[in-house]
Amino acid sequence: GEAPHLIAVLGDHLGLTQAEERVLDACGARRVSLGPVPMLTSQVISITQWMLDCRALPLAESQECVTVRETSD
């Protein structure tokens, strides 16, 4: 089947505003984190794109992609 549509909303080191979070909550957005270490936006975009590529491409048995953990904040 067709892969579900995905929109990635990235926050900066300060995070999203409360108003932005309310809009995303109203849309049913899922929060995920790449971890506690601060990263440059360019790094986050590259990692996010790599992870999306991993979801789209069949992997050999010896290959694995990382998974992000969902956050509750």
Side-chain angles (χ1 to χ4, degrees), residues 8-40:
V9 178
L10 308 174
D12 61 14
H13 65 288
L14 300 176
L16 302 174
T17 66
Q18 288 181 349
E20 292 166 333
E21 288 187 2
R22 282 193 299 272
V23 169
L24 293 172
D25 288 341
C27 293
R30 289 176 40 199
R31 287 181 174 83
V32 296
S33 172
L34 295 179
V37 177
M39 291 185 239
L40 298 172

